[in-house]
């Protein structure tokens, strides 16, 4: 497969872009205009040189696609969008608790958890919405959205 350069894409006709797409992706080009074909091919060229998306981003895209197929929407009230490496802090009954966001799950007090709700239960002893417990969701804003 010949190596394309981004500069070459700029002078290609729509038919040439579609042929390049078929060659690069091994499937017909989507029904989009030449500008978007150039962008898609440019990304493909750059990904080949510099690497593609991080695994966490690919997984998030897969989850959004699955959700879109099931519900017709790619967003969910249950989706938490916080990046790995973020540290969440919550004070509860005079004690401060720290949670580290991992690539998959969370770490609190030296243990790994799948969800913030599990950590909130471990801290409080009762069921809590983990995102609400750690201040990632506002009860008043959620109420306004449901009532509006």
């Amino acid at each position: 497969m010949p190596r394309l350069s981004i500069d070459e894409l700029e002078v290609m006709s729509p038919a040439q872009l579609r042929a390049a797409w078929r060659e690069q992706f091994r499937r017909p080009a989507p029904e989009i205009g030449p500008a978007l074909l150039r962008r898609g091919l440019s990304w493909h060229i750059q990904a080949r040189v510099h690497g593609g998306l991080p695994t966490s981003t690919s997984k998030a895209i897969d989850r959004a696609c699955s959700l879109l197929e099931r519900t017709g929407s790619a967003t969910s009230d249950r989706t938490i969008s916080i990046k790995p490496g973020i540290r969440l802090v919550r004070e509860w009954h005079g004690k401060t608790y720290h949670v580290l966001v991992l690539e998959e799950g969370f770490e609190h007090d030296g243990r790994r958890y799948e969800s913030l709700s599990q950590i909130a239960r471990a801290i409080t002893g009762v069921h809590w919405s983990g995102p609400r417990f750690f201040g990632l969701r506002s009860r008043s804003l959620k109420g306004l959205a449901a009532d509006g």
Side-chain angles (χ1 to χ4, degrees):
M1 173 177 347
R3 295 271 183 183
L4 277 176
S5 75
I6 293 173
D7 291 336
E8 290 175 289
L9 298 175
E10 294 302 318
V11 296
M12 288 181 153
S13 70
Q16 291 171 317
L17 289 168
R18 291 189 178 289
W21 187 284
R22 181 181 292 279
E23 193 171 295
Q24 296 296 313
F25 291 101
R26 301 280 185 228
R27 62 179 179 262
E31 292 300 320
I32 56 178
L36 289 177
L37 289 171
R38 280 188 188 91
R39 287 181 185 158
L41 286 163
S42 295
W43 182 88
H44 185 72
I45 292 166
Q46 291 175 4
R48 221 178 29 230
V49 173
H50 301 291
L53 295 172
T55 303
S56 60
T57 302
S58 294
K59 286 181 181 181
I61 291 169
D62 290 343
R63 284 191 302 271
C65 288
S66 176
L67 187 62
L68 180 62
E69 288 173 2
R70 283 194 325 271
T71 67
S73 172
T75 60
S76 167
D77 288 340
R78 299 179 63 149
T79 301
I80 301 169
S81 182
I82 48 178
K83 294 184 180 199
I86 298 288
R87 187 170 298 275
L88 304 174
V89 180
R90 172 65 148 94
E91 186 175 330
W92 179 256
H93 292 304
K95 185 175 176 187
T96 303
Y97 297 90
H98 298 265
V99 172
L100 178 63
V101 179
L102 305 173
E103 282 286 335
E104 292 190 24
F106 305 90
E107 183 180 304
H108 164 65
D109 204 21
R111 291 186 52 209
R112 289 186 146 200
Y113 294 84
E114 290 181 25
S115 74
L116 289 174
S117 296
Q118 291 173 333
I119 298 170
R121 179 182 279 269
I123 291 170
T124 66
V126 296
H127 176 74
W128 265 83
S129 159
R132 183 172 288 144
F133 182 79
F134 285 98
L136 300 175
R137 257 195 219 142
S138 167
R139 181 180 296 224
S140 61
L141 288 176
K142 193 131 176 84
L144 288 173
D147 295 339

